[in-house]
Amino acid sequence: MKLYRPATILVGVLFVILGGITRLAAPDQVHDQPNMIAVRGSIGEPVKYGGDSTVTVVRMKVAKAVVEENHEDKPFETDGVFVALEWDTVRGAKAPGNIGATLTADGGTVYTPIGGLTDSGIDFPDPGFAKTGSIIFEVNPTDFKGLKLILRPSMFWNVLNTYAEIDLGVPSEAVAQQMVDEAANEYVLRNSVVRVASS
Amino acid sequence: MESLDDVIDAMIADRVIHRHRRKWLIAIALVVVLALVILATGGWKEKQGRTVPTVTAPTTVTAGKWEYSFTKAEIRRQKKTEYSDAEAKLRVYFDLKNIDDEEHQSDSLTGDLLRWVPGNGEDLVDSNGATCRGELNWVLVYGLPPQSCYTEFKIPADFSADMVEIGVLGEKYEGDDSLFGANDDPYWHNEAPVAVVQVEKPVVVEDKAGD
């Protein structure tokens, strides 16, 4: 039996050339993840997330301690400050996927939500419903300026994903300092509430 | 078309294989038996001496993105009750600081970065992570001062010692090899031993069930 017939070799060479050509044809991506839609917004403004769902950061509260509603545990304390973001999500018909939330500041620190709280996080209710809740971060008060909430799902490479950036309105050191100085003694984390979407 | 030479070659090859078949079978069986014996006697383990420095608590160890200041250790015993066996845990206290200069990201300590070294060549035991502010896997923020935390290891119920050894592993900030198509962006992984911390005289504490 002859293994290396000219046609076999030709097909092999053809595959190699095809591989090279497809690499040449790929456009130079400006964004290194071509399956991400980047959305920007600011606090108080609904941001489209994953098709026809929206996320709104309703308000931001700064506190020195966090306690959960209906829990008798002693409050969580910090050497920094806690930043609580109260949000409102409306779920559209298309499944928006889960949300991974991080905070970033101008100084380059990346804050992730604190653990130990059962009801801290951002998620979507069922289609046609809206949900309100809070997510809590522990933040270094010396890197507070330019706080931004970054929302992105855990990645699936073959689906179109949303990368949302929500500016939380801390434009200068002075504002940051003022917010830290005026931090409440305690923030009460309320349970999230689901209701029928109004519009 | 096959030539006569090819046919003869094939015949000879056939004969040769058949003539030595028993020897081959015996050789293969021997290899299988050897593998089974090695497996049954505990595997092929490379015995290595300690290659990292040994330090004595109280001490500060920097490993990867974490800075630990070890202070003390406790052996917490739980008595046998009607519904549970006697058990013991080794609790090691330390101040933990997030020094992630690469990503500046908040994170919690993963359990496999601290390991109890039982000695006598026994396997190392992973910790359960760090408990800070009364919360297991507390997220530590980069840039904030150290937090006092502790970690726990499962130990034999009758364990006692004058000194316990904790292995500290540090992750490296590096990317994977992109040769086979993996993303080569660096991230924290590939933990390697950094130091062994000896904590003298662990205090024995009676622990109530459910604590």
Side-chain angles (χ1 to χ4, degrees):
Chain A
M1 196 188 72
K2 228 173 163 191
L3 194 58
Y4 298 112
R5 266 176 288 203
T8 320
I9 294 169
L10 208 71
V11 168
V13 169
L14 203 73
F15 273 128
V16 172
I17 292 172
L18 256 178
I21 288 174
T22 45
R23 283 190 79 157
L24 278 181
D28 294 334
Q29 295 291 347
V30 180
H31 204 287
D32 59 349
Q33 284 153 350
N35 64 332
M36 292 289 255
I37 309 175
V39 194
R40 277 182 180 75
S42 54
I43 188 163
E45 180 184 11
V47 170
K48 280 244 180 290
Y49 189 88
D52 46 1
S53 306
T54 60
V55 179
T56 315
V57 176
V58 181
R59 66 178 74 82
M60 173 164 102
K61 292 221 168 137
V62 184
K64 293 180 198 125
V66 170
V67 66
E68 274 182 290
E69 185 187 31
N70 304 333
H71 275 246
E72 284 166 10
D73 296 342
K74 65 178 173 60
F76 286 115
E77 289 173 347
T78 173
D79 298 321
V81 287
F82 286 116
V83 169
L85 300 177
E86 297 182 355
W87 48 263
D88 193 284
T89 57
V90 180
R91 158 83 200 265
K94 194 166 160 274
N98 60 338
I99 301 184
T102 51
L103 274 188
T104 60
D106 279 358
T109 316
V110 181
Y111 304 104
T112 54
I114 66 168
L117 297 168
T118 42
D119 221 0
S120 158
I122 303 188
D123 59 349
F124 288 102
D126 289 328
F129 288 86
K131 190 170 183 179
T132 37
S134 316
I135 186 165
I136 295 175
F137 297 86
E138 191 180 9
V139 172
N140 179 358
T142 57
D143 192 9
F144 200 93
K145 182 183 159 251
L147 272 190
K148 272 190 294 236
L149 178 68
I150 308 286
L151 305 174
R152 59 192 301 169
S154 43
M155 288 294 265
F156 285 107
W157 300 105
N158 52 351
V159 227
L160 198 57
N161 287 309
T162 309
Y163 167 91
E165 208 177 280
I166 300 174
D167 185 40
L168 296 175
V170 193
S172 67
E173 284 299 346
V175 175
Q177 194 55 48
Q178 193 187 350
M179 285 174 124
V180 172
D181 288 345
E182 288 173 3
N185 282 328
E186 196 168 86
Y187 178 79
V188 180
L189 174 65
R190 308 225 174 269
N191 297 340
S192 52
V193 176
V194 178
R195 61 177 198 279
V196 176
S198 48
S199 54
Chain B
M1 169 142 176
E2 266 183 320
S3 70
L4 191 58
D5 272 1
D6 285 345
V7 174
I8 292 171
D9 276 0
M11 281 173 70
I12 293 172
D14 222 40
R15 288 274 177 99
V16 169
I17 289 166
H18 275 107
R19 195 168 40 181
H20 294 292
R21 184 192 253 171
R22 180 181 297 170
K23 285 177 194 163
W24 279 113
L25 284 178
I26 291 173
I28 291 169
L30 271 178
V31 170
V32 170
V33 168
L34 193 70
L36 284 177
V37 166
I38 290 173
L39 258 181
T41 53
W44 199 286
K45 231 187 295 178
E46 194 185 355
K47 292 273 185 286
Q48 269 184 336
R50 187 169 290 176
T51 53
V52 294
T54 306
V55 289
T56 312
T59 179
T60 301
V61 177
T62 306
K65 61 174 169 178
W66 299 107
E67 186 187 276
Y68 311 80
S69 300
F70 289 92
T71 48
K72 57 173 182 169
E74 267 175 13
I75 294 173
R76 301 176 76 88
R77 291 188 202 283
Q78 226 178 79
K79 283 207 183 101
K80 181 184 182 318
T81 65
E82 202 172 342
Y83 301 108
S84 62
D85 290 332
E87 50 183 73
K89 280 182 185 139
L90 173 64
R91 189 182 277 192
V92 178
Y93 290 84
F94 50 87
D95 289 344
L96 185 61
K97 190 178 182 200
N98 183 340
I99 51 163
D100 181 357
D101 287 327
E102 301 287 349
E103 291 182 343
H104 298 197
Q105 185 159 2
S106 321
D107 202 0
S108 56
L109 184 74
T110 45
D112 55 357
L113 294 181
L114 291 176
R115 295 184 193 174
W116 173 49
V117 187
N120 304 327
E122 282 178 57
D123 285 344
L124 308 185
V125 178
D126 279 7
S127 76
N128 71 342
T131 305
C132 320
R133 297 192 187 279
E135 202 59 52
L136 183 62
N137 293 329
W138 180 256
V139 176
L140 287 125
V141 177
Y142 171 82
L144 288 186
Q147 264 307 306
S148 65
C149 306
Y150 64 81
T151 189
E152 284 187 336
F153 305 90
K154 278 207 170 121
I155 54 174
D158 54 351
F159 178 82
S160 69
D162 290 342
M163 182 267 292
V164 288
E165 287 189 321
I166 309 300
V168 182
L169 288 86
E171 291 168 307
K172 295 190 190 72
Y173 191 72
E174 56 191 17
D176 291 319
D177 198 337
S178 63
L179 187 63
F180 298 108
N183 191 343
D184 63 352
D185 291 345
Y187 62 103
W188 286 105
H189 66 147
N190 286 351
E191 62 264 30
V194 170
V196 173
V197 179
Q198 295 185 333
V199 190
E200 306 270 358
K201 298 193 178 58
V203 185
V204 178
V205 183
E206 290 297 332
D207 205 356
K208 282 192 284 294
D211 245 13

